[in-house]
Amino acid sequence: MITNQFAVMLLLGSFAILILLRVPIAFALGISSILTAAYLGMPLLVIAQGIVGGINVFVLLAIPFFILAGEIMSQGGIAQRLVQLAKALVGFMRGGLAMVNVLASMFFGGISGSSVADTSSIGAVLIPMMKKEGYDADYSTSVTIASSVQGILIPPSHNMVIYALVAGGVSVGQLFLAGIIPGVFLGIALMIFSYIVAVKRGYPKGEKLKLRSALKALRDSVLGLLTVLIVVIGVVSGVFTATEAAAIAAVYAFIITFFVYREIPLSQMNSILSNSLKTLSIVLILIGTSSAFGWLMSYLRVPAVIADTILGISDNKIVVLMILNVLLLVLGTFMDMSALILIGTPIFLPIAVSVGVDPVHFGVVMMLNLGIGLLTPPVGGTLFVGSAIGGVSIEKLSRAMLPFYAVMIGVLLIITYIPQLVMFIPKMFY
Amino acid sequence: MEKVARYVGVAVEGLCKVLLVIQILTVSWVVFGRYVLNKTPRWGEELGLMTMVWFGLLSASLAIRSDSHLRLSLLDMILSKKNLKVVEWFVTIAVIGFACFLIWSGIQLVELTSSNRLSGIRISSAWLYLAVPVSGVAMLAQLLDKARKLR
């Protein structure tokens, strides 16, 4: 079945060796593609063209905008407002600040689709606050990074845009809607878990907020929360494309931050652009080289071989979904999310579809699965950021994360095997 | 070399920011044009994409400078400082190879596409592919500075 076994081994083997030797993933993908193309005697220009072609895609224009919108909101004081609102709602319970953290991430997820942005903005506000009230540093950081994964599930989410692009024929609007229940469900599971931990360890209750300050918190944050409505309603109703919605979200964020909230001077746009560029400098090259790599994979018919192998083990939906989840979890520990969506979707989606899984459902499963991968060593973007912000070493943080991984994998299994949870809202609209 | 790398870094960051702003304004204008003026400027989409390709590739050199590209850090825990340095040399040389590939293949792409024209903005599509060799050079500047520091 494989046309050229050695080429496949060269592509995958050189990639494995390169990343093991600490070559950045984005470049390792490029270098193994070049080596393989050279072995196959292809003109090497194909790879350079593939890298450019991977980035030169209209739908991807949404990415800079969603990142920018999130960055404007987090520097513009919306994070504090969302924390206030969450405090008003759940802060009075035992372990209140841990729950506030989860709920604030849920709200923030409706503004930014990035788990890293969520960790850096919500974490910067809440981790110091939690430490001051006697929460352990590793626990505070774990709650922050675990809950930040809600941002990927709750729309807007630029990773869903990438998935829709590679999956082909899946609407971004449907994916956005499909992420809502799983995102909220993950938040509730994390809140229940943090409540249990708080009772066990005797973490403090927060003060009860007066109705008036609760209403004020709501009024202050409602303008920010409107972002999610604009994006979701716009995309779902078909009024805007994802790219247009992203541009509108960024412009909207700009207007309310600089003309309504007016907490930061316009000159801070410079640092907002710098920070957005920092994220983009990592994401875009990765998208480019992953596309070239992914193209070679399909050229060598690797997806078909993997499909045959997996379906050879079983064609039972439950078993196949389990195998896919385990594979994605393992790959997610050492690969980055956007690269895995680009390379993995063409391999795994057809397998899932062949056993009768809806592409929208599979997309959401993949988002949560790879979101967990962002929190696991040895390569976990959110884990690294959390460790820096919380001042906790990666080793200590990963150990504190163990029970959180268990909770998240539990949620993953539930949304994998109860598709109704994912498909309920999209079915209402489509 | 240190100075060169620093200047290149500052210049690239400035240029990327300008490109990002151009992209934002262009796409916002396209959206505004579509909903308010009822016409979509044909150059808008192409200009937005071209700026994204440029800052996407160019900014990769900034992440080399700040060492923020994602990588596997397993070996850091296993190897001694001395051996780790050897590995770091290997990494630097491998990525230098990649940068050189971008320069070499990029120049060919530019030559190959110089007669094609992008229909919307009516300039040669060589301008799009020029981002490849230029980014290769920007990466090379940062990598050589890294190699110098490793010595």
Side-chain angles (χ1 to χ4, degrees):
Chain A
M1 180 93 188
I2 281 200
T3 41
N4 197 328
Q5 224 160 3
F6 184 78
V8 174
M9 272 161 57
L10 182 64
L11 183 67
L12 298 178
S14 65
F15 174 66
I17 293 171
L18 286 168
I19 60 166
L20 198 64
L21 288 173
R22 305 170 76 251
V23 174
I25 296 171
F27 299 125
L29 287 165
I31 296 169
S32 11
S33 307
I34 297 167
L35 292 176
T36 312
Y39 168 75
L40 290 169
M42 290 175 171
L44 294 183
L45 291 186
V46 173
I47 301 301
Q49 217 169 5
I51 295 173
V52 173
I55 306 175
N56 196 13
V57 178
F58 183 70
V59 185
L60 296 181
L61 282 173
I63 296 178
F65 286 99
F66 280 140
I67 289 174
L68 188 74
E71 194 61 47
I72 295 176
M73 292 281 198
S74 59
Q75 289 200 28
I78 186 74
Q80 285 89 329
R81 290 181 169 82
L82 295 178
V83 168
Q84 262 330 95
L85 177 63
K87 244 181 161 172
L89 295 171
V90 292
F92 60 90
M93 286 190 261
R94 185 158 298 283
L97 278 185
M99 299 208 209
V100 169
N101 195 327
V102 178
L103 195 61
S105 280
M106 195 186 293
F107 295 152
F108 194 82
I111 288 169
S112 150
S114 149
S115 124
V116 170
D118 182 307
T119 297
S120 50
S121 41
I122 301 287
V125 180
L126 270 170
I127 295 176
M129 226 188 251
M130 289 176 77
K131 282 186 190 164
K132 215 161 80 195
E133 288 203 11
Y135 291 81
D136 301 296
D138 53 352
Y139 174 77
S140 316
T141 314
S142 300
V143 173
T144 308
I145 64 174
S147 63
S148 76
V149 174
Q150 293 173 98
I152 300 167
L153 294 168
I154 294 175
S157 161
H158 69 259
N159 283 305
M160 285 185 176
V161 175
I162 303 180
Y163 174 81
L165 169 72
V166 223
V170 178
S171 94
V172 176
Q174 257 182 311
L175 275 169
F176 277 0
L177 291 175
I180 297 174
I181 292 180
V184 173
F185 178 53
L186 174 65
I188 292 171
L190 288 171
M191 278 197 249
I192 294 172
F193 174 71
S194 30
Y195 179 76
I196 297 170
V197 175
V199 170
K200 240 192 197 154
R201 298 197 194 170
Y203 286 142
K205 281 185 191 178
E207 68 220 85
K208 227 181 196 135
L209 226 56
K210 297 228 173 61
L211 184 67
R212 188 189 296 174
S213 38
L215 284 177
K216 185 177 176 307
L218 181 66
R219 207 181 51 222
D220 281 349
S221 41
V222 84
L223 276 177
L225 290 171
L226 270 178
T227 319
V228 61
L229 285 183
I230 296 175
V231 171
V232 173
I233 295 178
V235 173
V236 170
S237 63
V239 175
F240 328 129
T241 63
T243 306
E244 290 167 347
I248 289 167
V251 171
Y252 174 78
F254 180 82
I255 292 172
I256 66 164
T257 303
F258 292 104
F259 298 101
V260 181
Y261 289 162
R262 283 188 297 191
E263 258 171 37
I264 54 171
L266 202 56
S267 57
Q268 202 159 330
M269 263 320 276
N270 194 27
S271 109
I272 289 173
L273 286 174
S274 285
N275 274 350
S276 311
L277 200 60
K278 256 181 216 151
T279 312
L280 291 167
S281 70
I282 301 168
V283 173
L284 289 174
I285 184 82
L286 204 55
I287 290 178
T289 51
S290 312
S291 317
F293 189 90
W295 177 79
L296 270 175
M297 292 271 270
S298 353
Y299 176 83
L300 293 167
R301 304 181 47 81
V302 178
V305 176
I306 295 178
D308 282 351
T309 314
I310 292 179
L311 294 173
I313 299 171
S314 165
D315 53 7
N316 178 302
K317 192 170 167 180
I318 295 171
V319 179
V320 169
L321 277 173
M322 186 58 86
I323 296 175
L324 293 180
N325 263 322
V326 171
L327 273 176
L328 283 170
L329 278 173
V330 172
L331 289 171
T333 60
F334 60 87
M335 283 279 282
D336 188 58
M337 184 152 189
S338 49
L340 262 180
I341 297 174
L342 283 161
I343 299 170
T345 306
I347 302 179
F348 299 125
L349 177 62
I351 303 177
V353 170
S354 75
V355 291
V357 179
D358 191 292
V360 172
H361 176 215
F362 186 69
V364 174
V365 168
M366 203 158 150
M367 293 302 122
L368 176 56
N369 188 313
L370 300 181
I372 298 173
L374 291 174
L375 312 178
T376 51
V379 177
T382 306
L383 184 78
F384 296 163
V385 173
S387 143
I389 288 181
V392 186
S393 72
I394 303 271
E395 290 80 32
K396 204 170 167 205
L397 183 55
S398 327
R399 223 169 304 136
M401 277 303 291
L402 287 175
F404 286 94
Y405 295 142
V407 173
M408 295 178 85
I409 290 174
V411 173
L412 176 65
L413 289 177
I414 293 172
I415 69 155
T416 302
Y417 291 116
I418 310 181
Q420 289 82 354
L421 280 179
V422 181
M423 301 306 293
F424 179 69
I425 300 186
K427 284 239 166 86
M428 284 194 318
F429 289 89
Y430 284 88
Chain B
M1 198 61 229
E2 193 185 345
K3 256 192 178 160
V4 175
R6 202 171 57 230
Y7 286 142
V8 172
V10 172
V12 166
E13 188 175 353
L15 180 59
C16 286
K17 272 191 205 163
V18 172
L19 290 167
L20 182 58
V21 172
I22 295 179
Q23 191 214 31
I24 295 163
L25 296 178
T26 312
V27 179
S28 308
W29 178 252
V30 170
V31 177
F32 181 77
R34 196 178 135 193
Y35 292 100
V36 183
L37 310 175
N38 269 324
K39 62 174 183 203
T40 321
R42 252 159 60 79
W43 49 269
E45 185 177 315
E46 275 175 9
L47 185 62
L49 282 171
M50 181 179 293
T51 48
M52 182 162 71
V53 169
W54 269 87
F55 71 67
L57 292 177
L58 265 179
S59 64
S61 68
L62 299 174
I64 292 180
R65 185 169 175 76
S66 58
D67 209 4
S68 44
H69 281 297
L70 290 164
R71 52 158 114 184
L72 206 64
S73 49
L74 277 180
L75 280 183
D76 304 34
M77 288 176 247
I78 307 165
L79 291 182
S80 68
K81 261 216 163 96
K82 209 175 128 203
N83 289 334
L84 210 58
K85 208 172 163 182
V86 177
V87 174
E88 203 46 47
W89 266 109
F90 170 80
V91 172
T92 312
I93 291 168
V95 183
I96 286 178
F98 183 71
C100 291
F101 168 79
L102 289 183
I103 298 172
W104 171 78
S105 63
I107 291 174
Q108 281 182 294
L109 273 176
V110 168
E111 282 172 354
L112 213 70
T113 54
S114 58
S115 56
N116 300 355
R117 278 165 93 78
L118 294 168
S119 57
I121 34 181
R122 295 203 205 120
I123 54 169
S124 161
S125 51
W127 286 100
L128 176 68
Y129 289 105
L130 189 62
V132 179
V134 174
S135 310
V137 173
M139 282 182 202
L140 202 58
Q142 303 307 338
L143 288 161
L144 292 178
D145 186 45
K146 273 225 145 97
R148 189 191 55 85
K149 281 184 195 141
L150 266 179
R151 222 176 31 207

